[in-house]
Amino acid sequence: MTAAIGPYLQVALEEVPCYEGIADGDVSSNVFYPPVDTITDDDKPTFLEEQNVIRGFLARMPQLGVAMYDPAWKLGKVHPRPSSLGFFLAAMLGSWTSEAGNSTSAHVDPDGTNVPTGGYMHTFTFKFATAPQTFQAIACSGDGKHRKATGVALSDLAFSWQNGAMVLDPTALALYTDDIADPSVTPVLDLAMPFRRGDMSLSWLSGSALTRDFDFKFVSPVETIRSPVHASLYPTDVWYKNGELPYVSGTISKATLEANDLAALYQGGQFDAKIKIDRKSVV
């Protein structure tokens, strides 16, 4: 007897945002199976109702089906490994460069250390374009039901710590969601260790008070658009909102009060935070 496969989540970057008409558009051949606690896939239908319309008799009309969909998509507590962390950073920020290390001074990490031969340095930045980076997601439930979301654009990627390990909370909009037949996917288990809080060090303001906790998130102002060019009950385009800029925010908890922290805050100075996770200590 063959054991059933599931539940799982498969994600892959899209070449262009895929709406209903091109829901099977080009996606990357690099697919990922991030460990995740929960998947929220909501069609968010708006129903046709004519309850107050005069139709020649005194009775409320029933709802007449769906008028439109506004899909929302969210993951709760992703437990990232290096590969899936890279995927979500690429999906969130939209622009990246990758360099192979060769132990020369031209290839150094943020600490100025040479990237060794066989290693890679990936640099992620916010994308400056009309449309954000999107991805496709296929999810399987424990009872063998399958759902597909395309044109998924992240609006929020929050980082925090749970039980000593890093977790992500991605929130997104989607262009199209639907039930699908079993795609015959065989998930690949990522055997890499998770990022542990005990492997992390935080560089913060010089002379700062004792830090108790730290979390941060990326925010990208995206919105879905219904273009009359395409006939669909679903949105057909996803854009960055005009006049709104992406940003990084976070909170830091202090055990004591330090004048340097208050002075930097009152002066409107830009805080410079650097997180380092040293995987060499993983056992």
Side-chain angles (χ1 to χ4, degrees), residues 28 65 72 98 216 253:
S28 173
S98 298
F216 63 100
S253 301

Side-chain angles (χ1 to χ4, degrees), residues 9-28 39-43 69-74 87 132-139 146-154 172-180 223-225 232 234-238:
L9 170 67
Q10 181 198 80
V11 290
L13 297 177
E14 295 177 335
E15 184 175 346
V16 296
C18 293
Y19 56 92
E20 182 181 13
I22 55 169
D24 294 318
D26 292 336
V27 298
S28 173
I39 304 171
T40 302
D41 177 356
D42 187 356
D43 289 331
Y69 297 95
D70 285 293
W73 198 83
K74 180 176 176 60
F87 168 83
Q133 177 64 53
T134 58
F135 63 93
Q136 170 188 284
I138 295 175
H146 295 82
R147 292 277 291 173
K148 182 177 181 180
T150 63
V152 183
L154 291 177
L173 302 174
L175 293 181
Y176 185 63
T177 53
D178 198 8
D179 297 332
I180 60 171
E223 62 179 342
T224 54
I225 306 294
S232 177
Y234 290 83
T236 56
D237 297 273
V238 58

Side-chain angles (χ1 to χ4, degrees), residues 168-189:
L168 309 179
D169 286 293
T171 302
L173 302 174
L175 293 181
Y176 185 63
T177 53
D178 198 8
D179 297 332
I180 60 171
D182 187 346
S184 299
V185 168
T186 300
V188 177
L189 181 63

Side-chain angles (χ1 to χ4, degrees), residues 63-84:
Q63 63 96 348
L64 304 175
V66 176
M68 62 181 183
Y69 297 95
D70 285 293
W73 198 83
K74 180 176 176 60
L75 298 178
K77 300 296 183 287
V78 176
H79 302 256
R81 271 54 175 177
S83 60
S84 54

Side-chain angles (χ1 to χ4, degrees), residues 83-241:
S83 60
S84 54
L85 176 60
F87 168 83
F88 282 108
L89 288 174
M92 179 71 215
L93 303 177
S95 180
W96 62 89
T97 58
S98 298
E99 297 178 272
N102 59 11
S103 299
T104 69
S105 58
H107 297 77
V108 295
D109 66 16
D111 288 333
T113 304
N114 292 128
V115 179
T117 301
Y120 291 86
M121 181 171 67
H122 307 288
T123 304
F124 299 90
T125 55
F126 277 113
K127 179 181 180 180
F128 292 95
T130 300
Q133 177 64 53
T134 58
F135 63 93
Q136 170 188 284
I138 295 175
C140 173
S141 63
D143 58 353
K145 301 296 189 298
H146 295 82
R147 292 277 291 173
K148 182 177 181 180
T150 63
V152 183
L154 291 177
S155 59
D156 193 295
L157 183 62
F159 293 71
S160 59
W161 303 91
Q162 181 185 60
N163 299 326
M166 176 187 287
V167 293
L168 309 179
D169 286 293
T171 302
L173 302 174
L175 293 181
Y176 185 63
T177 53
D178 198 8
D179 297 332
I180 60 171
D182 187 346
S184 299
V185 168
T186 300
V188 177
L189 181 63
D190 191 337
L191 298 178
M193 284 286 291
F195 296 96
R196 301 183 301 187
R197 182 170 179 172
D199 298 321
M200 182 195 78
S201 59
L202 171 68
S203 298
W204 188 249
L205 181 70
S206 177
S208 179
L210 177 64
T211 300
R212 295 178 61 95
D213 205 358
F214 179 73
D215 60 65
F216 63 100
K217 67 178 179 179
F218 297 98
V219 178
S220 182
V222 296
E223 62 179 342
T224 54
I225 306 294
R226 300 176 185 277
S227 172
V229 175
H230 309 288
S232 177
L233 299 184
Y234 290 83
T236 56
D237 297 273
V238 58
W239 293 351
Y240 289 109
K241 292 182 180 179

Side-chain angles (χ1 to χ4, degrees), residues 19-49:
Y19 56 92
E20 182 181 13
I22 55 169
D24 294 318
D26 292 336
V27 298
S28 173
S29 59
N30 294 320
V31 298
F32 302 88
Y33 300 90
V36 57
D37 284 3
T38 62
I39 304 171
T40 302
D41 177 356
D42 187 356
D43 289 331
K44 296 184 68 176
T46 297
F47 293 98
L48 284 167
E49 295 182 337

